[in-house]
């Protein structure tokens, strides 16, 4: 009986041998060539892994050093060339001014010397009258006016720039985050009360890096910390009844955590003070101030809003024995660009620009560092519920793209405004006031965690809501 021939041609050596199929390329290989084929595939995989690692390294490098972008070098070169052109033009203009000025002065000096000779001659001969004196006086007046005439030499501003202006055209559209519209209650939500699982009109909130929530539990006169995923909070400041003792609070409206020393800084509104709690020890930082909102910048400067003086002031940490530095408002109550009307919450960006919710003007103002007046970056069209309007806004925060998020208090919604746009958009809430998970009831403060989840102090629902970001 003849043996069954199960040999086929090998794809590589082209000899009849017992072969094995490769599922990837569907070719058949002998045992030896199959091992070599797998080695080739393995080498290709290693090559892909190497390319992947290099690409990942490139991404990380660009994230760490955004200044290394190729366009930045072109911008730097444009700046260098433009500065050189300006300097050259300024040098030529200075030389022209000096030359023209010298010629002009020489001419005036000649006229003055001639007049001086006439005076000396009259004085020497002692032969003059009122006509001569009037003439000399008028001539001196004339050359004095000529000397002081600013129109003799002036700067002419051209209608066209001699520098080629540049601008950036980006086809990369920013990603606008979205959030699941049904929130998760992460603190309170058990009705108004003073138990550890309850809140009473929460105003300010602060989220730390561990997603712990610090709450200004206003009408419980306390600051409560809710650990991540905790079922109840713990009192870390106040909670000893409403009062003005050092261990008491009176309607606190905001709280921030100084990450350097882990102290709690509180806007103790009813006591008109900003107070610090550190390991159950208290220290009044700022007194006699009608404070509502607090913020701290990257340099640990403390910013406080004053709703009576209609201003925001800044203090350097540890130096509170002064009036601070005025950084926004301070020109009385009003709706002009240098005025505020009941400023509540504030946000400070990396450039120390200050964003203020100008509550009773129904707008958000931005004051650049050192500016004497602000610009309207949200609202400012009277109160209402249209996309161009806000209604007594409260808390705000600005993301890395410069998008402004506002707790539109009386509209029961959170709005997002892109600076320069005429109107905003609703990101959560706005479905009338209520206590459902997609509703808000006079939201006051808002914050993001490091994942972009949105937290809101839902004032009259006595709860803190977390809206999870859509990934």
């Amino acid at each position: 009986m003849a043996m069954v021939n199960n040999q086929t041609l090998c794809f590589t050596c082209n000899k009849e041998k017992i072969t094995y199929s490769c599922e990837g390329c569907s070719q058949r290989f002998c045992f030896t060539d199959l091992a070599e084929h797998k080695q080739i595939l393995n080498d290709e995989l290693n090559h892909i892994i190497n390319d992947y690692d290099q690409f990942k390294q490139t991404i990380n490098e660009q994230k760490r050093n955004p200044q290394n972008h190729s366009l930045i070098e072109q911008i730097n070169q444009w700046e260098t060339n433009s500065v050189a052109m300006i300097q050259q033009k300024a040098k030529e203009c200075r030389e022209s001014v000096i030359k023209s000025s010298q010629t002009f002065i020489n001419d005036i000096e000649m006229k003055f010397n001639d007049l001086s000779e006439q005076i000396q001659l009259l004085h020497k001969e002692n032969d003059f009258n009122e006509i001569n004196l009037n003439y000399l006086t008028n001539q001196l007046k004339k050359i004095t006016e000529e000397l002081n005439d600013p129109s003799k030499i002036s700067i002419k501003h051209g209608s066209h720039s001699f520098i080629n202006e540049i601008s950036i055209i980006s086809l990369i559209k920013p990603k606008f985050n979205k959030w699941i519209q049904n929130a998760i209650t992460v603190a309170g939500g058990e009705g108004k009360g003073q138990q550890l699982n309850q809140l009473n009109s929460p105003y300010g909130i602060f989220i730390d890096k561990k997603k712990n929530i610090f709450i200004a539990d206003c009408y419980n006169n306390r600051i409560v910390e809710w650990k991540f995923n905790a079922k109840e909070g713990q009192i870390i400041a106040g909670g000893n009844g409403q009062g003005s003792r050092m261990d008491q609070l009176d309607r606190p409206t905001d709280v921030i955590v100084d990450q350097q020393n882990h102290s709690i800084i509180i806007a103790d509104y009813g006591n008109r003070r900003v107070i610090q709690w550190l390991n159950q020890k208290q220290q009044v930082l700022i007194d006699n101030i009608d404070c509502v909102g607090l913020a701290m910048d990257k340099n640990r400067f403390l910013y406080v809003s004053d709703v009576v003086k209609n201003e925001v002031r800044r203090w350097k940490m540890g130096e509170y024995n002064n009036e601070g530095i005025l950084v926004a408002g301070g020109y009385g109550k009003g709706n002009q660009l240098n005025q505020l009307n009941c400023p509540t919450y504030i946000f400070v960006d990396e450039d120390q620009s200050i964003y203020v919710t100008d509550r009773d003007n129904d707008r958000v103002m931005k004051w650049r560092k050192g500016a004497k007046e602000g610009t309207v970056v949200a609202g400012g069209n009277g109160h209402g519920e249209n996309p161009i309007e806000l209604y007594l806004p409260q808390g705000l925060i600005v993301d890395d793209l410069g998008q402004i998020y506002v707790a539109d208090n009386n509209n029961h919604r959170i709005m997002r405004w892109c600076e320069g746009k005429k109107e905003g958009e609703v990101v959560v809430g706005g479905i009338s006031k209520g206590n459902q998970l997609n509703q808000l009831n006079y939201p006051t403060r808002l914050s993001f965690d490091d994942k972009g989840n949105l937290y809101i102090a839902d004032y009259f629902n006595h709860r803190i809501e977390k809206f999870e970001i859509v990934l």
Side-chain angles (χ1 to χ4, degrees), residues 277-288:
W277 283 59
L278 177 60
N279 299 325
Q280 293 302 311
K281 294 181 180 179
Q282 303 86 34
Q283 176 187 0
V284 175
L285 303 182
I286 306 165
D287 209 352
N288 298 316

Side-chain angles (χ1 to χ4, degrees), residues 146-215:
E146 189 176 354
L147 177 64
N148 296 325
D149 185 1
S151 66
K152 289 294 182 181
I153 306 175
S154 61
I155 293 176
K156 179 182 178 182
H157 294 274
S159 58
H160 300 287
S161 173
F162 63 92
I163 298 172
N164 293 323
E165 294 186 4
I166 63 172
S167 59
I168 301 301
I169 300 173
S170 177
L171 299 179
I172 304 171
K173 294 184 177 180
K175 177 186 175 183
F176 295 116
N177 291 333
K178 294 182 179 180
W179 291 266
I180 297 172
Q181 294 300 296
N182 282 350
I184 300 169
T185 301
V186 291
E190 301 294 334
K192 179 173 69 174
Q194 59 183 1
Q195 301 302 312
L196 290 180
N197 65 345
Q198 294 178 307
L199 298 170
N200 187 354
S201 305
Y203 243 100
I205 56 173
F206 182 93
I207 315 294
D208 71 8
K209 296 177 181 178
K210 298 180 180 179
K211 297 185 179 62
N212 301 318
I213 310 168
F214 298 80
I215 307 166

Side-chain angles (χ1 to χ4, degrees), residues 170-443:
S170 177
L171 299 179
I172 304 171
K173 294 184 177 180
K175 177 186 175 183
F176 295 116
N177 291 333
K178 294 182 179 180
W179 291 266
I180 297 172
Q181 294 300 296
N182 282 350
I184 300 169
T185 301
V186 291
E190 301 294 334
K192 179 173 69 174
Q194 59 183 1
Q195 301 302 312
L196 290 180
N197 65 345
Q198 294 178 307
L199 298 170
N200 187 354
S201 305
Y203 243 100
I205 56 173
F206 182 93
I207 315 294
D208 71 8
K209 296 177 181 178
K210 298 180 180 179
K211 297 185 179 62
N212 301 318
I213 310 168
F214 298 80
I215 307 166
D217 192 9
C218 184
Y219 284 95
N220 279 329
N221 305 294
R222 66 190 185 185
I223 305 298
V224 183
E225 179 185 3
W226 286 63
K227 298 288 188 181
F228 180 60
N229 283 338
K231 298 300 181 183
E232 62 180 33
Q234 59 184 34
I235 300 169
I236 58 172
N240 300 306
Q242 182 179 14
S244 59
R245 294 197 318 259
M246 291 293 285
D247 67 339
Q248 292 179 309
L249 298 173
D250 185 353
R251 291 163 291 155
T253 53
D254 206 5
V255 57
I256 59 175
V257 178
D258 184 350
Q259 305 278 13
Q260 182 162 313
N261 60 14
H262 305 291
S263 67
I264 311 300
I265 301 175
I266 306 162
D268 192 9
Y269 173 74
N271 284 320
R272 302 184 64 244
R273 66 189 182 187
V274 176
I275 190 168
Q276 180 187 58
W277 283 59
L278 177 60
N279 299 325
Q280 293 302 311
K281 294 181 180 179
Q282 303 86 34
Q283 176 187 0
V284 175
L285 303 182
I286 306 165
D287 209 352
N288 298 316
I289 182 170
D290 295 282
C291 51
V292 169
L294 303 173
M296 184 179 290
D297 67 19
K298 62 182 180 181
N299 298 314
R300 297 183 71 239
F301 283 96
L302 179 65
Y303 299 74
V304 187
S305 64
D306 189 317
V307 294
V308 173
K309 292 182 179 179
N310 297 292
E311 64 183 22
V312 178
R313 288 186 175 269
R314 181 184 74 197
W315 281 264
K316 186 176 182 180
M317 292 296 289
E319 298 180 7
Y320 299 108
N321 57 348
N322 54 59
E323 295 182 351
I325 298 173
L326 180 70
V327 292
Y331 293 91
K333 180 170 69 174
N335 61 4
Q336 301 301 308
L337 292 179
N338 64 348
Q339 294 178 308
L340 298 169
N341 189 356
C342 195
T344 52
Y345 292 102
I346 46 187
F347 179 88
V348 185
D349 68 13
E350 290 291 310
D351 300 321
Q352 291 185 312
S353 292
I354 301 135
Y355 296 78
V356 188
T357 43
D358 191 10
R359 194 192 71 176
D360 290 356
N361 281 327
D362 303 297
R363 67 188 185 184
V364 176
M365 300 291 289
K366 177 181 180 180
W367 292 64
R368 295 189 183 277
K369 183 179 180 181
K372 298 300 181 184
E373 62 179 34
T375 56
V376 180
V377 292
N381 299 300
H383 60 246
E385 59 182 17
N386 292 317
I388 65 170
E389 296 170 321
L390 297 171
Y391 196 169
L392 299 180
Q394 291 276 11
L396 83 159
I397 195 166
V398 183
D399 68 13
D400 293 338
L401 297 175
Q403 299 172 114
I404 304 153
Y405 295 81
V406 189
D408 193 8
N409 185 264
N410 278 38
N411 282 324
H412 317 289
R413 65 190 183 184
I414 305 301
M415 297 285 286
R416 173 168 58 203
W417 290 67
C418 297
E419 189 172 341
K421 298 293 185 181
K422 298 298 183 183
E423 63 181 45
E425 61 175 324
V426 178
V427 292
V428 297
I431 313 173
S432 72
K433 68 178 179 181
N435 61 5
Q436 300 302 307
L437 292 178
N438 64 346
Q439 293 179 307
L440 299 169
N441 195 350
Y442 295 95

